[in-house]
Amino acid sequence: MAKIAFILLCHKDPDAVIKQAQSLTAVGDYMSIHFDASAPQAAYDKIRKGLADNPNVTFPKRRLRCGWGEWSLVQATLNAVEAAVEAFPRATHFYMLSGDCMAIKSAEYAHEFLDRREVDYIESFDYFKSDWIKTGWKEERLIYRHWFNERTQKKRFYAAFNLQKRLGLTRRIPEDIEVMIGSQWWCLRRRTVEWIMDFCKRRPDVLRFFRTTWIPDETFFQTLVRHLVPEHEIESRTLTFLMFTDYGMPVVFYNDHYDLLLGQDFLFARKISPEARELKRRLGVLYASEGVRFQISNEGRSLFKFLTGKGRIGRRFAPRFWETESTLGRERELLIVVCKKWHVAKRLLGRIRQLTDIPCIDYLFNEESCALPDLGGIQSTMGKRHRHRRALMRMLFDYFESDRLIVCLDPANLDLLEDFCGDRAVTRLLEIECQFSDAYLVGHAMRVGLAGDRTPKETLSRLLPTIRNDMVHESDRIRDANFDNHLRVRETDPPEINAMALAAFLGLEEDKARAIAETEHLFAD
């Protein structure tokens, strides 16, 4: 049975630290606490006194003043790990925590989870090839030396960097290591931790390198684990659930997030609000519980992205000069079918192909797998299709040797509609209005990752109105744009009414349009 030694780095709220330690060690696990030396001595003394009678708690011999982006965070972790290795010989796993973390599963579940596989859990991605660093410095973190704290000594930090850059004072990465990067929240096996401690004694050159690396807590352990442990024994993920806003700030969890947190495929979560007392109480009780079964839906991150995206609708790509200065062709007709239910639009296009000779393409700007001819690579990725939208459409007109072309778009693609409808070409828009049952909305939520097979019914009931309103909002935005030649086919209208819109949209005789409108099971889910 796994026994966990928690490595806790904290700097405030001694009462919360005591409660956290008591909760996690009550089931037989251990904890090594590094309390920042910058915090008041009285706070540290309170923690020592409050946990003095707990044999499953230890403290490193030396406390450090820690700063964001500094080596001090790594050294504090090493000190706490060393203390845990020495004090708890029965510990099988070492789990990094902060004072803002709490368990979102029971200890029973956590131990069984760790016993399933003989692996280390740590994000470990190639530093230079991965996109883990989204913006800002990358190579500069490593090849220049960083002696000062970027937040508290900003002038010195950038002065030292600019001087090195101007004089060309770069350094080489140790040749036998491949730098990796990932989250600082990891869970390592005892053997791996012992290998790391031994490596630190044998390789002072590597430690010297990381001591002046910027933000080494994202690279030090990640690099050493990959260097020391066989690849098949590394699970490149964290077991701590955390999310960040668009502004790079951690998402904070409150009392009403209890059910959401329990459904995530993680053992702990960060950050729990200090004010979320009820959430902390319930999670504390949960950790000591036995026989609890968890329904893992794991939709937290996609759900957060969906909900926070409301009100931030804008164009993803700025128009390039070759797009703004070009046209699809004044004599050409682009016919756009807009429908949220993709299978309905595809069914309609299938019937149009049978009864007309107009080239039809499905959701080329929404589905990577959409069947497209080879156009020299411009069609190869979704990003290229969006960036070179007009060039792509011109090439498709040329490929089919036709001045008429039908494509499908999702209602969310308002930027594409605005671009194409503003072209000199003749553009007609056919919006298909469908009915959305609760069952369909649940299926849609699962398809786009907002929910899973095990998402609680209570979560779905709260989510469905938001999804439904989102679809209505997309349709309203299209109407508010006042596009010319905007026609509608409605599920609630009889075929003879829909046939009139189809005839105007396709430029067909009424009988052919009626045959299309009467397509069998056109609106069926």
Side-chain angles (χ1 to χ4, degrees), residues 53-318:
D53 296 330
N54 192 329
N56 287 6
V57 174
T58 191
F59 298 83
K61 297 176 183 178
R62 183 185 172 203
R63 293 167 61 209
L64 301 176
R65 294 178 181 272
C66 297
W68 182 87
E70 291 182 6
W71 169 257
S72 55
L73 283 172
V74 177
Q75 187 62 60
T77 305
L78 289 172
N79 292 351
V81 167
E82 184 178 22
V85 169
E86 182 179 342
F88 310 125
R90 296 180 61 195
T92 62
H93 293 77
F94 295 75
Y95 196 121
M96 269 286 294
L97 288 178
S98 75
D100 297 319
C101 296
M102 284 203 72
I104 56 175
K105 299 290 186 293
S106 64
E108 180 183 62
Y109 180 97
H111 295 152
E112 291 176 355
F113 182 95
L114 295 176
D115 281 335
R116 286 176 208 159
R117 300 179 61 196
E118 188 63 25
V119 296
D120 296 303
Y121 294 92
I122 181 170
E123 284 189 350
S124 181
F125 304 107
D126 187 285
Y127 187 90
F128 294 100
K129 295 179 181 178
S130 72
D131 63 347
W132 202 87
I133 299 176
K134 304 298 183 184
T135 59
W137 286 355
K138 194 166 190 175
E139 186 181 36
E140 292 87 346
R141 291 193 189 189
L142 306 179
I143 65 172
Y144 297 106
R145 295 170 178 83
H146 304 280
W147 296 284
F148 305 103
N149 186 290
E150 192 268 343
R151 293 188 175 180
T152 61
Q153 298 172 294
K154 191 176 291 287
K155 288 185 177 180
R156 290 181 178 179
F157 178 88
Y158 286 105
F161 167 74
N162 290 327
L163 179 63
Q164 293 177 81
K165 188 175 182 180
R166 188 164 62 250
L167 298 178
L169 299 176
T170 59
R171 60 175 177 172
R172 299 178 67 178
I173 299 170
E175 293 182 356
D176 63 329
I177 68 169
E178 183 179 1
V179 179
M180 311 298 287
I181 192 166
S183 168
Q184 70 178 105
W185 311 109
W186 42 253
C187 178
L188 304 178
R189 296 166 295 170
R190 185 180 193 92
R191 185 190 67 178
T192 301
V193 165
E194 291 174 345
W195 283 353
I196 290 174
M197 303 305 292
D198 181 64
F199 181 89
C200 291
K201 296 175 182 176
R202 291 186 291 106
R203 295 295 302 274
D205 60 312
V206 175
L207 266 67
R208 281 195 301 271
F209 173 79
F210 279 105
R211 279 195 183 101
T212 51
T213 295
W214 193 38
I215 322 181
D217 54 303
E218 294 179 352
T219 54
F220 179 77
F221 289 99
Q222 296 77 2
T223 299
L224 265 59
V225 170
R226 185 68 67 170
H227 182 75
L228 298 169
V229 179
E231 184 175 359
H232 67 275
E233 295 184 19
I234 301 173
E235 182 71 22
S236 188
R237 58 161 293 189
T238 176
L239 296 181
T240 299
F241 180 59
L242 67 163
M243 297 188 294
F244 292 90
T245 68
D246 291 346
Y247 304 100
M249 300 300 292
V251 173
V252 179
F253 299 108
Y254 297 93
N255 290 332
D256 56 347
H257 287 123
Y258 180 80
D259 292 329
L260 172 73
L261 292 175
L262 265 58
Q264 306 314 305
D265 189 21
F266 297 86
L267 303 184
F268 282 75
R270 182 180 187 274
K271 287 183 162 186
I272 307 298
S273 170
E275 287 75 38
R277 295 181 179 86
E278 178 62 14
L279 176 61
K280 289 186 175 184
R281 184 194 66 78
R282 296 177 72 184
L283 291 177
V285 171
L286 175 70
Y287 192 70
S289 302
E290 295 182 356
V292 180
R293 294 294 174 260
F294 297 90
Q295 299 293 320
I296 306 300
S297 53
N298 213 34
E299 78 287 353
R301 285 173 176 162
S302 57
L303 185 59
F304 175 78
K305 183 178 180 181
F306 169 74
L307 294 175
T308 56
K310 304 302 100 185
R312 296 186 181 182
I313 299 168
R315 295 189 61 160
R316 180 175 176 84
F317 300 105

Side-chain angles (χ1 to χ4, degrees), residues 331-497:
E331 306 301 323
R332 287 171 167 167
E333 293 183 25
L334 178 61
L335 310 180
I336 304 175
V337 176
V338 180
C339 185
K340 196 64 181 180
K341 290 186 176 181
W342 295 3
H343 60 280
V344 174
K346 291 179 181 181
R347 211 171 279 150
L348 180 70
L349 259 62
R351 187 61 170 155
I352 292 173
R353 290 188 185 100
Q354 292 175 355
L355 299 178
T356 75
D357 58 357
I358 308 173
C360 301
I361 302 176
D362 295 339
Y363 287 85
L364 73 165
F365 292 104
N366 303 103
E367 284 188 305
E368 194 89 49
S369 60
C370 174
L372 290 171
D374 186 354
L375 302 174
I378 194 173
Q379 84 295 337
S380 59
T381 68
M382 196 64 68
K384 287 184 178 181
R385 296 179 200 174
H386 278 261
R387 287 195 296 273
H388 311 299
R389 58 188 70 163
R390 291 196 184 188
L392 173 64
M393 299 308 296
R394 288 198 307 274
M395 294 174 76
L396 287 170
F397 275 111
D398 293 338
Y399 176 84
F400 289 110
E401 297 181 350
S402 172
D403 287 333
R404 306 183 77 200
L405 181 66
I406 303 176
V407 299
C408 293
L409 290 181
D410 189 275
N413 296 130
L414 183 63
D415 60 330
L416 295 173
L417 293 174
E418 290 175 336
D419 194 2
F420 291 142
C421 290
D423 193 85
R424 298 189 188 96
V426 176
T427 306
R428 285 200 285 273
L429 189 65
L430 180 70
E431 185 179 0
I432 304 178
E433 295 184 9
C434 301
Q435 299 297 300
F436 301 107
S437 66
D438 286 351
Y440 173 81
L441 293 177
V442 169
H444 174 77
M446 291 182 177
R447 286 190 293 274
V448 300
L450 297 177
D453 293 336
R454 299 180 178 179
T455 299
K457 292 183 179 179
E458 296 78 8
T459 301
L460 285 173
S461 64
R462 293 195 299 268
L463 181 60
L464 293 188
T466 303
I467 299 176
R468 191 185 300 277
N469 291 336
D470 185 61
M471 293 180 176
V472 172
H473 177 61
E474 289 176 349
S475 180
D476 286 343
R477 291 171 64 219
I478 293 174
R479 296 186 185 186
D480 292 342
N482 294 317
F483 294 122
D484 293 335
N485 305 318
H486 183 182
L487 302 156
R488 295 182 186 86
V489 167
R490 297 179 174 89
E491 182 176 357
T492 55
D493 285 346
E496 55 269 21
I497 299 298

